[in-house]
């Protein structure tokens, strides 16, 4: 029995490796956003990180991106369009995840 699950997480090289190990064959899609848009979006939500932590996290993502099967720049996409973009990848016959040794 196949079960389709979406895990939304702050994806790092470590979490990506964990998902590859624990969920063999999973499809990893990394959503990216430029810092100004990330700050704009963050301002509309409850704040959990300091400004410094937020910038450090964003910089780490840009300089050391996690292993992923696909990357989608979502700066100009609303939540519906983001979900549709991921769904297209998930449903595409050639969107199989990378096979890890």
């Amino acid at each position: 029995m196949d079960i389709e699950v979406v895990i939304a997480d702050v994806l790092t090289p470590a979490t990506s490796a964990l998902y590859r190990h624990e969920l063999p064959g999973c499809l990893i899609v990394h959503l990216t956003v430029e810092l100004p848009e990330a700050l704009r979006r963050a301002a509309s939500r409850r704040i959990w990180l300091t400004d410094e932590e937020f910038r450090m996290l964003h910089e780490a993502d840009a300089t050391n991106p996690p292993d992923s099967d696909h990357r989608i720049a979502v700066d100009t996409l609303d939540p519906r369009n983001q979900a549709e973009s991921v769904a297209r990848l998930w449903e595409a016959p050639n969107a199989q995840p990378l096979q890890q040794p």
Side-chain angles (χ1 to χ4, degrees):
M1 167 196 270
D2 288 337
I3 300 172
E4 294 181 352
V5 176
V6 173
I7 300 172
D9 192 2
V10 175
L11 193 60
T12 67
T15 57
S16 180
L18 177 67
Y19 293 142
R20 293 275 188 224
H21 181 263
E22 296 293 328
L23 303 169
C26 69
L27 178 69
I28 298 178
V29 180
H30 181 209
L31 305 181
T32 64
V33 64
E34 295 295 324
L35 183 58
E37 178 62 10
L39 290 168
R40 186 194 71 76
R41 292 179 186 194
S44 70
R45 300 178 177 102
R46 185 171 179 186
I47 298 172
W48 298 97
L49 302 172
T50 66
D51 289 346
E52 181 181 348
E53 290 170 329
F54 188 88
R55 288 178 191 279
M56 287 174 51
L57 182 64
H58 194 272
E59 183 179 306
D61 185 67
T63 59
N64 187 23
D67 173 49
S68 64
D69 299 304
H70 302 278
R71 283 187 175 70
I72 301 173
V74 298
D75 295 74
T76 61
L77 302 179
D78 64 19
R80 189 187 96 246
N81 292 124
Q82 291 176 44
E84 289 171 353
S85 295
V86 171
R88 279 193 299 275
L89 291 173
W90 200 344
E91 295 167 355
N94 62 348
Q96 295 301 313
L98 299 172
Q99 295 301 315
Q100 301 296 315

